Amino acid sequence: MTLKAAYEKGIRQLEQSGIAEYELDAWYLLEHVTGITWALYLLDSKKELDAAQETSYSALLEKRTHRIPLQHLTGVQEFMGLDFQVNEHVLIPRQDTEILVETALEILKDIWQSYEEKTPKMNVLDMCTGSGCIVLSILKLFGHPLSGIGVDISGNALETARKNAENLNLEAVFLQSDLFERVEGQFSMLISNPPYIRSAQIQTLQKEVKEYEPVMALDGGEDGLHFYRKIIQECRQYLISGGYLLFEIGYDQASEVAKLMWNAGFRSIAVKKDLAGLDRVVSGRYDDRIEAR
Ligand code: GLN
């Protein structure tokens, strides 16, 4: 079968089974199986797949029709221009989360510049790190020395995060802990994209998400705010004064999360929107002179 015939078969099969991005998915699977680039495909779409490639392309298409996420089939998701390994133990990095990382990088730059000495010691802790995509992309892109810790309750997630650190040639510490249970030290920044979907809403998510992504990484309790509440309540002793707390949030959670942060003594609270114009990130600055209410 030629590349072109395979690609067209893939498109048809995925379209017929109702996959939203059928064309893209058919392409990414073909690329994954053959290693071909789009430019080469355009030059030589009559090239034949070998038998093994044909078999594995068919098998992957079949799996995709059962709604197994594309990224579980290719094993990777690009995030902040970096490749992250993913599997059923971690949330697949979302494009929306790039806003969180971009905001973190801006704030870290400001903190860096506010220091008098040339190389201040700065560190960041990523709570509920999953694949490690947040802390690792911050470490990769910050451009100044910075140390990072990723915390997760799931040992399997941490194993994936450690592999990602190795692939990206980064040194980060990954710690298995139920939130702050085993965390020590104080940080310049605490950042988190915690589970924030209301428990009752999990059922309404698309099949790819509710059946194949870890529910542990999605479920934020009855009102979706469980992890924000816990992290905000417990985080003060883990932040330096002047340090920042940053969260990704669901589109309707900004005011509640901002209020929790205000009551815990955070100021300079800011909300950032994602590309769709929805509230996506809340950040605030910790000042140890302000009492928590
Ligand atoms: N921090 C990871 C991410 O943003 C995982 C988040 C989670 O599991 N809720 O992708």
Side-chain angles (χ1 to χ4, degrees):
M1 191 187 279
T2 65
L3 285 167
K4 186 167 193 297
Y7 182 30
E8 283 168 358
K9 169 187 127 132
I11 293 175
R12 264 196 319 276
Q13 191 175 340
L14 295 186
E15 185 181 15
Q16 275 162 14
S17 53
I19 302 297
E21 309 256 10
Y22 52 90
E23 235 178 294
L24 268 180
D25 288 13
W27 170 256
Y28 282 128
L29 291 177
L30 188 64
E31 187 181 51
H32 176 68
V33 164
T34 61
I36 188 120
T37 61
W38 185 242
L40 282 176
Y41 174 84
L42 291 178
L43 280 176
D44 193 10
S45 64
K46 289 200 187 73
K47 196 174 158 211
E48 294 278 328
L49 274 74
D50 64 33
Q53 290 173 335
E54 242 183 86
T55 314
S56 71
Y57 189 52
S58 294
L60 290 174
L61 287 171
E62 173 71 19
K63 286 189 178 163
R64 188 68 192 94
T65 65
H66 297 300
R67 298 292 194 279
I68 298 181
L70 175 74
Q71 296 87 340
H72 288 182
L73 301 176
T74 61
V76 290
Q77 171 65 42
E78 191 248 45
F79 179 81
M80 294 300 293
L82 306 167
D83 279 347
F84 287 88
Q85 274 189 27
V86 296
N87 53 47
E88 70 274 23
H89 303 300
V90 299
L91 192 80
I92 298 166
R94 305 297 206 264
Q95 205 182 2
D96 290 331
T97 305
E98 296 189 341
I99 311 281
L100 177 68
V101 170
E102 281 159 10
T103 309
L105 289 169
E106 282 165 24
I107 293 174
L108 287 168
K109 245 171 237 161
D110 287 345
I111 302 179
W112 180 272
Q113 278 160 4
S114 73
Y115 281 100
E116 306 261 306
E117 70 257 46
K118 279 225 171 73
T119 47
K121 283 215 177 345
M122 287 173 54
N123 55 4
V124 23
L125 182 142
D126 174 16
M127 186 58 83
C128 311
T129 194
S131 65
C133 65
I134 294 174
V135 65
L136 293 174
S137 51
I138 289 175
L139 291 179
K140 193 80 182 178
L141 301 171
F142 182 49
H144 299 290
L146 178 70
S147 59
I149 299 189
V151 173
D152 207 286
I153 195 170
S154 156
N156 288 325
L158 292 167
E159 205 176 297
T160 309
R162 286 192 189 102
K163 272 191 210 131
N164 281 321
E166 201 181 308
N167 293 342
L168 293 165
N169 205 7
L170 288 168
E171 287 197 21
V173 172
F174 288 102
L175 175 71
Q176 188 167 18
S177 169
D178 183 357
L179 299 178
F180 291 104
E181 197 179 17
R182 297 182 56 215
V183 173
E184 281 173 18
Q186 284 191 313
F187 297 84
S188 322
M189 176 178 282
L190 300 179
I191 187 165
S192 183
N193 175 22
Y196 59 71
I197 315 273
R198 291 179 187 84
S199 304
Q201 269 175 5
I202 305 270
Q203 274 321 306
T204 68
L205 301 174
Q206 61 184 138
K207 212 169 162 191
E208 279 86 344
V209 181
K210 70 177 174 204
E211 287 189 10
Y212 295 101
E213 292 203 80
V215 72
M216 197 200 237
L218 299 166
D219 192 339
E222 197 181 335
D223 65 356
L225 299 171
H226 173 77
F227 290 95
Y228 300 110
R229 239 179 249 118
K230 295 273 278 188
I231 293 169
I232 292 168
Q233 257 164 28
E234 294 171 22
C235 72
R236 287 172 58 110
Q237 70 183 96
Y238 301 101
L239 268 175
I240 59 166
S241 190
Y244 277 78
L245 175 62
L246 270 82
F247 285 118
E248 175 170 325
I249 50 152
Y251 71 96
D252 57 355
Q253 295 172 326
S255 62
E256 277 161 299
V257 172
K259 197 164 106 197
L260 289 167
M261 285 174 65
W262 179 272
N263 289 342
F266 286 86
R267 295 296 180 263
S268 310
I269 294 174
V271 178
K272 261 211 180 163
K273 291 186 190 298
D274 62 21
L275 299 173
L278 303 172
D279 291 344
R280 185 58 64 187
V281 170
V282 180
S283 61
R285 184 172 186 275
Y286 172 58
D287 182 335
D288 65 359
R289 291 165 305 185
I290 302 171
E291 291 285 318
R293 278 205 258 153

